[in-house]
Amino acid sequence: GAKTQGKNRWEIFDETRRARAVDRVAIASRLRQALRDNRFVLHFQPVIELGTGRAVAVESLVRLDDPGRGLLPPAAFIQVAEDSGLIVPIGTYVLEEACRQLAEWRADGLVPADFRAAVNLSARQATQPDLARTVARALDGANLEPTALALELTETVLMDADTSTLRQLEELREMGVGLGIDDFGTGYSSLSYLKRLPVSIIKVDRSFVAGLSTDPSDREIVTAVIRLGQALGLTTIAEGVEDVSQFTMLQELGCDQAQGYLLGRPQLDPPILGAGKNGVVSTAKPS
Ligand code: C2E
Ligand code: MG
Ligand code: MG
Ligand code: MG
């Protein structure tokens, strides 16, 4: 009868929950092993300056080279890494590796001397009391100036920042490290935090960029975000640029920089300045 059915439903529910919990424990243990085995890999997506068409930076995006499963995207493990706290050592590795790689590219003349790198920070990392020291150490270890690095945080993380986190972020900005709001427009609606936070970059979320040339409200939102960024003296970066009409419109709107599959996918190699597709990226090689 109805009772039995109800009971079965709960059993199925518990079973799913149990399986999920087991999954998470299994993923956490794989992450721990991956840290020991040095199996985290960074891919680098070019950031293009819209005024010149030149690559000026890369965003570092972590992947897990899992034995048997291949290269796993962040969506497969970041949440478990965050919940288990493993994101802290993983994030430190990402910071150090991004700095090391950037310094190597510069030394090999593969990128200009002022080329930069961005790294994503999770909530857990942002609230570490030694965040500024960890970042400073990563920069020092690679002999990079603080302006070579930008950190990306989401609106939610920034809104939740307590006094101690704020102090760390201010310290980093005072050093010259860039501070960006990632996926701008998808988090809280309050803009007041823009005033009290030491941010230097706004990244327009790719959900708005996607409809830029087809959806009038997306166009208005992107226009407003770029104007807001300009008014506050921030660098504006559009994410997820996939076609030429989006690229052209962002140029017309005065957006500073852009990233997206049109301009370059996340990859192991440095962006070859000039090898841009579709004629939108400069063909000049660095001297
Ligand atoms: P995000 O920081 O917003 O990074 C942009 C994501 O969009 C990347 O996915 C990138 O591959 C993808 N993307 C870039 N251009 C395009 C495009 O034109 N179209 C589409 N559809 N997608 C595009 P990915 O690498 O899978 O990373 C997903 C998210 O995982 C990142 O979003 C970031 O929040 C997080 N993440 C990545 N690396 C790290 C890390 O080292 N630490 C932390 N805490 N989070 C990371
Ligand atoms: Mg990002
Ligand atoms: Mg983003
Ligand atoms: Mg995003």
Side-chain angles (χ1 to χ4, degrees), residues 2-202:
K3 243 183 194 163
T4 334
Q5 267 173 23
K7 194 180 170 236
N8 285 341
R9 266 204 298 278
W10 279 108
E11 277 167 2
I12 290 161
F13 180 64
D14 281 346
E15 191 49 39
T16 313
R17 271 208 344 191
R18 199 191 60 81
R20 245 180 236 145
V22 170
D23 257 15
R24 296 169 73 79
V25 172
I27 295 170
S29 111
R30 291 176 96 90
L31 293 180
R32 222 167 276 121
Q33 190 61 46
L35 264 171
R36 282 193 289 265
D37 298 346
N38 203 15
R39 287 190 161 274
F40 289 98
V41 177
L42 293 190
H43 282 192
F44 302 94
Q45 183 174 39
V47 180
I48 307 300
E49 194 170 61
L50 285 166
T52 60
R54 282 174 171 272
V56 290
V58 285
E59 178 175 3
S60 319
L61 297 156
V62 72
R63 279 94 182 83
L64 168 54
D65 185 6
D66 189 86
R69 293 185 203 189
L71 216 53
L72 301 178
F77 60 87
I78 285 285
Q79 192 56 53
V80 174
E82 179 80 22
D83 296 345
S84 60
L86 288 166
I87 194 67
V88 176
I90 294 170
T92 301
Y93 170 77
V94 170
L95 272 168
E96 287 171 354
E97 178 59 13
C99 290
R100 189 203 61 76
Q101 185 64 86
L102 174 61
E104 187 185 283
W105 287 343
R106 283 181 177 187
D108 292 348
L110 297 174
V111 297
D114 59 355
F115 202 79
R116 301 183 309 274
V119 163
N120 293 283
L121 279 199
S122 77
R124 280 268 195 139
Q125 275 179 287
T127 53
Q128 294 297 301
D130 60 350
L131 173 67
R133 211 185 328 141
T134 303
V135 172
R137 210 178 283 151
L139 286 165
D140 277 352
N143 214 357
L144 287 174
E145 73 284 5
T147 49
L149 184 70
L151 305 172
E152 299 187 3
L153 296 99
T154 61
E155 282 170 279
T156 317
V157 169
L158 285 167
M159 287 286 293
D160 290 347
D162 60 11
T163 334
S164 137
T165 301
L166 267 181
R167 215 176 300 129
Q168 300 277 327
L169 297 178
E170 270 153 16
E171 195 180 320
L172 286 163
R173 276 298 297 141
E174 276 158 26
M175 284 166 56
V177 173
L179 214 58
I181 308 176
D182 210 346
D183 307 333
F184 188 81
T186 60
Y188 285 76
S189 55
S190 162
L191 295 175
S192 64
Y193 71 99
L194 279 177
K195 243 173 53 174
R196 56 184 183 86
L197 291 171
V199 296
S200 55
I201 299 160
I202 289 186

Side-chain angles (χ1 to χ4, degrees), residues 74 118 257:
Q257 299 170 6

